[in-house]
C-alpha cells in the first residue's frame, strides 16, 4: 500500500514535469478533453438532474411540516452545490471516465504499445499520459459544473411538480442561503475530485501488468480507489474549508 | 557489433539472466532460442533500454550503453529497431499513420518524403495497398507485418524480433520467417531473433544461441548445433525432426 502510494506520487511528479517542462500537443489535449466530455455528457446530465430532483423532494417533505417551503430553493441548491452534486456526479465519472481510461491505458501497456512508443523515439508521458490526465481534469471540471447546473434545474422542476412552487418562488431565497462560500466550496471540491480522478485512472492504467486479467483488475481497482479517494478528499476539503471560513469569519 | 558482457537481470528473488556474455556480428542473423521464461525477451529489452540490467555491460560498437539515460537511448533506438511479440499497433491510427509515427518524431521530413518512406517500408513487407486501413481491419499476420514496416521506416542498422511468429498459423509463420531473411539480405541489417522455433532457426540463422535458466547452454552455427550433446538442444532438434516427418517442409532458404 505505502509502496503504491509512493509510486503514485512519483508518477504524478513525472506527469507534472512533462506538462510544465516538455509541454504537450494542443491537438492531443483537445482530443482527449472532447472524448471524455462526449463519453460522459448524457450520464452527467441524467445524474445531475435526478440528484437535484431527489434533494428537492426530500427537503420539501421536511420543510412542509414547518410551513417553510419558501426556503426550499435556497436549501436544496445550497446542499447540492456544497456536497451532494459534486460527490454523486464525481462517483458517476469515476465509474465511467476512470474505468475507461484505466482499461485503455492498461490495454496499451499489456499489448506493448507503450514500449513501442518508447522504441519509436517518443515519450509515453508526453504522447499518452499527460494529455489524458489534463483532458480528464478539464472535462470533469466542465461536466461537474454542468451536472450541478442540471441538478439545480432538476430541483426547480420537482419543486414545481411536487410542492407547487414556481420558478420565481424557488429562486427567491437562493441568494440569501447560497453564499459565495457555498459556490467556492463546490468549485474547490470539483477541482480536487477531477484531479484525483485523472491521477488515479492514469496511474492504475499505466501500472497494469499481466494480460487481460490485469486489465480487468486495473479497471476494478480504479473504480474502487477513485470512489474511496473522492470521499476522503471530500472530508478533507470540507474540514479545511470550514476551518478556513471560521478563521476568516467569512 | 553488439556485445553483452556478464549481463545479469533479476525480478525480485528470481534471476532471469545470470552473467550472460556473447557478441552479435554485423550483418548476421542470430537466433536466441530457449523455452518460455528463460529471459530471451528480457535480453532484447535490455538492449533497447526498456529494461535496465542489474550488472554487466552492453556495448554497441564502441559505446557502453547500459547506464545511458532515456534521452541518450534515443540515438540507440534509431539504430536498433524492435519488433514486439504482439503487433503493438496504435488502434486509433491508420496503417500509414502507424508506420509514420516514429518518422514524425525522429526525422524532420517533408510530407512527400514522409509518404515515400512509409510506402517504401510497406512495400518491403508486401502491404503497400493497405495503408488506409485501421489495425482492426487487418489479419493478425498483416498486423505483424505492419509492425515490422513501422520499425523498418526508421532504417535501423539492427533489427530485433521478439517471438515474431508466436500466434501465427504455419503458412503465415513461413511468410514472416522468409521476410526476416529477405530483409536481412536486402537491407544488410543485423538481425537478432528471439524464438523457440528451432526449425526456423536452422532454416535462416547464421548462428544460434540456446538459453536455459539464465545461462547460455550452447551456441554455434545451425550445423554445429545439430551435433550438440546438450539435452535441451537435442530436445529442440527432436521436435524439428518430428515436425519434418509429420508434415512436408519447405526447402532450406538459400
Amino acid at each position: 500500500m505505502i509502496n503504491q502510494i509512493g509510486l503514485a506520487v512519483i508518477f504524478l511528479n513525472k506527469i507534472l514535469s512533462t506538462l510544465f517542462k516538455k509541454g504537450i500537443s494542443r491537438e492531443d489535449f483537445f482530443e482527449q478533453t472532447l472524448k471524455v466530455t462526449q463519453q460522459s455528457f448524457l450520464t452527467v446530465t441524467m445524474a445531475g438532474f435526478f440528484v437535484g430532483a431527489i434533494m428537492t423532494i426530500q427537503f420539501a417533505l421536511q420543510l412542509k411540516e414547518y410551513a417553510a417551503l419558501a426556503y426550499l430553493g435556497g436549501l436544496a441548491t445550497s446542499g447540492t452545490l456544497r456536497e451532494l452534486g459534486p460527490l454523486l456526479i464525481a462517483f458517476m465519472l469515476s465509474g465511467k471516465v476512470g474505468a475507461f481510461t484505466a482499461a485503455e491505458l492498461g490495454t496499451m501497456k499489456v499489448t506493448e504499445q507503450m514500449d513501442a512508443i518508447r522504441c519509436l523515439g517518443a515519450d509515453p508521458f508526453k504522447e499518452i499520459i499527460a494529455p489524458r490526465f489534463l483532458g480528464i481534469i478539464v472535462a470533469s471540471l466542465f461536466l461537474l459544473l454542468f451536472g450541478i447546473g442540471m441538478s439545480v434545474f432538476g430541483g426547480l422542476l420537482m419543486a414545481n411538480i411536487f410542492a407547487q412552487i414556481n420558478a420565481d418562488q424557488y429562486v427567491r431565497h437562493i441568494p440569501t442561503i447560497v453564499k459565495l462560500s457555498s459556490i467556492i466550496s463546490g468549485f474547490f471540491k470539483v477541482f480536487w475530485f477531477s484531479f484525483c480522478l485523472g491521477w488515479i485512472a492514469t496511474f492504475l492504467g499505466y501500472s497494469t501488468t499481466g494480460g487481460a486479467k490485469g486489465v480487468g483488475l486495473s479497471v476494478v481497482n480504479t473504480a474502487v480507489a477513485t470512489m474511496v479517494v473522492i470521499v476522503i478528499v471530500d472530508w478533507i476539503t470540507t474540514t479545511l474549508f470550514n476551518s478556513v471560513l471560521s478563521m476568516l469569519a467569512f | 557489433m553488439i556485445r553483452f558482457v556478464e549481463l545479469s537481470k533479476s525480478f525480485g528473488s528470481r534471476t532471469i539472466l545470470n552473467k550472460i556474455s556473447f557478441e552479435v556480428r554485423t550483418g548476421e542473423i542470430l537466433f536466441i532460442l530457449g523455452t518460455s521464461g528463460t529471459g530471451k525477451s528480457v535480453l532484447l529489452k535490455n538492449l533497447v533500454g526498456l529494461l535496465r540490467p542489474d550488472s554487466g555491460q552492453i556495448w554497441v560498437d564502441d559505446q557502453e550503453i547500459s547506464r545511458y539515460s532515456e534521452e541518450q537511448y534515443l540515438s540507440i533506438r534509431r539504430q536498433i529497431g524492435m519488433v514486439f511479440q504482439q503487433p503493438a499497433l496504435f488502434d486509433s491510427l491508420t496503417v500509414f499513420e502507424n508506420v509514420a509515427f516514429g518518422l514524425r518524431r525522429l526525422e524532420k521530413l517533408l510530407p512527400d518524403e514522409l509518404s515515400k518512406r512509409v510506402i517504401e517500408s510497406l512495400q518491403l513487407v508486401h502491404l503497400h495497398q493497405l495503408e488506409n486501413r485501421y489495425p482492426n481491419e487487418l489479419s493478425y499476420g498483416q498486423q505483424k507485418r505492419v509492425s515490422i514496416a513501422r520499425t523498418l521506416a526508421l532504417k535501423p542498422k539492427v533489427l530485433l524480433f521478439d517471438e515474431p511468429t508466436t500466434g501465427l498459423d504455419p503458412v503465415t509463420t513461413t511468410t514472416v520467417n522468409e521476410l526476416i531473411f529477405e530483409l536481412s539480405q536486402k537491407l544488410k541489417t543485423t538481425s537478432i531473433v528471439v524464438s523457440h522455433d528451432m526449425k526456423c532457426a536452422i532454416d535462416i540463422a547464421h548462428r544460434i544461441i540456446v538459453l536455459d535458466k539464465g545461462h547460455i547452454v550452447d551456441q554455434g552455427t545451425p550445423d554445429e548445433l545439430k551435433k550438440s550433446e546438450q539435452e535441451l538442444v537435442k530436445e529442440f532438434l527432436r521436435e524439428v525432426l518430428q515436425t519434418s516427418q509429420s508434415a512436408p517442409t519447405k526447402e532450406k532458404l538459400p
Side-chain angles (χ1 to χ4, degrees), chain A residues 79-95:
Chain A
T80 306
L81 266 179
R82 292 179 75 104
E83 195 57 61
L84 268 186
L87 194 68
L88 288 182
I89 298 165
F91 277 178
M92 294 286 168
L93 285 176
S94 70

Side-chain angles (χ1 to χ4, degrees), chain A residues 41-61:
Chain A
F41 192 73
L42 191 65
T43 314
V44 166
T45 305
M46 303 273 285
F49 180 86
F50 286 105
V51 165
I54 294 161
M55 286 283 284
T56 301
I57 294 170
Q58 292 291 356
F59 271 114
L61 287 171

Side-chain angles (χ1 to χ4, degrees), chain A residues 110-113 118 127, chain B residues 49 70 77 84 86 89 105:
Chain A
V110 300
T111 56
E112 298 180 307
Q113 289 179 50
R118 285 171 71 190
E127 305 272 342
Chain B
E70 188 70 14
R77 289 175 190 151
F84 291 87
Q86 305 195 50
L89 299 177
R105 278 143 189 93

